[in-house]
Amino acid sequence: MLRRACLDGKAWPGITMAVNVSPLQFRRSDFVDVVERILAETDFDPARLELEVTESTLLGAVETAELAMFRLKGLGVRLALDDFGTGYSSLLYLRRFPFDKLKIDSSFVRSIERAGRRRRDRPCGGEPRPRSRMKVTAEGVETAEQQLFLRAAGVHSMQGYRFGRPCPAADISMRLAKPDSFRIADDETGLALAG
């Protein structure tokens, strides 16, 4: 999967390729070596590769995971903590590990949106925020209301059916070649995806 992502990504200059890594893959003693070899063989810019790991990857092997992460960062690879808001969700991970991005799980997005509606007139200061250098992505964004809420909350980027569905690499190439054909348009009737 990583090799395929690097090869596909070469056709899309300037686009970061995010690849999910399972706990089993990440815990392999040669994982960093495999990543380094694939980057070299595909001649893919490591700064354009983002590896997404879940919190379960870190459980039980904290020191090993930390060492692997710092080695990956040394290669120039970006790291994202995926599915934050499910399971353990320790803020300690955000301080200890060199994550570049925090990806908030869609279930967490829905719950904070509901909580936000209940507290609409109260400021949300004092809530824990990740380090200032860390970008925040919200997953599972499906509605204009969610998008507006998350934008107001300071989320850097969003993904979900509001912006597009999973598709083959050829479709992504087509979208990149004709960006104006695929845009989100809001009007009184709601969401419309052109293209």
Side-chain angles (χ1 to χ4, degrees), residues 22-78:
S22 76
L24 188 60
Q25 289 172 308
F26 195 84
R27 290 181 186 141
R28 286 181 46 168
S29 60
D30 66 342
F31 177 71
V32 178
D33 297 326
V34 169
V35 171
E36 187 173 21
R37 186 174 61 249
I38 290 172
L39 288 168
E41 290 171 359
T42 60
D43 193 33
F44 191 73
D45 179 3
R48 292 183 49 221
L49 177 62
E50 181 176 274
L51 298 179
E52 299 181 0
V53 298
T54 61
E55 295 164 279
S56 61
T57 302
L58 309 174
L59 296 176
V62 175
E63 287 78 21
T64 304
E66 187 174 35
L67 178 62
M69 287 181 175
F70 279 104
R71 284 186 62 206
L72 289 164
K73 293 293 292 174
L75 297 175
V77 173
R78 297 179 192 183

Side-chain angles (χ1 to χ4, degrees), residues 44-164:
F44 191 73
D45 179 3
R48 292 183 49 221
L49 177 62
E50 181 176 274
L51 298 179
E52 299 181 0
V53 298
T54 61
E55 295 164 279
S56 61
T57 302
L58 309 174
L59 296 176
V62 175
E63 287 78 21
T64 304
E66 187 174 35
L67 178 62
M69 287 181 175
F70 279 104
R71 284 186 62 206
L72 289 164
K73 293 293 292 174
L75 297 175
V77 173
R78 297 179 192 183
L79 299 170
L81 179 59
D82 197 15
D83 296 335
F84 188 80
T86 62
Y88 191 61
S89 299
S90 173
L91 294 175
L92 176 65
Y93 292 148
L94 303 181
R95 290 202 319 236
R96 179 168 183 174
F97 297 104
F99 290 112
D100 300 288
K101 182 184 285 183
L102 173 70
K103 295 188 75 176
I104 301 171
D105 185 72
S106 60
S107 61
F108 192 67
V109 167
R110 287 189 297 273
S111 72
I112 61 174
E113 181 189 26
R114 285 190 299 272
R117 275 192 233 123
R118 289 192 298 269
R119 300 183 310 176
R120 190 162 284 171
D121 297 326
R122 287 191 283 165
C124 49
E127 294 180 5
R129 299 195 193 288
R131 294 186 303 260
S132 60
R133 69 164 184 80
M134 189 181 304
K135 300 294 184 191
V136 177
T137 296
E139 299 178 303
V141 178
E142 297 181 357
T143 67
E145 183 181 45
Q146 289 173 333
Q147 181 182 5
L148 291 173
F149 174 83
L150 292 164
R151 185 182 304 144
V155 171
H156 300 98
S157 60
M158 299 168 213
Q159 66 185 61
Y161 288 156
R162 172 150 176 78
F163 311 105

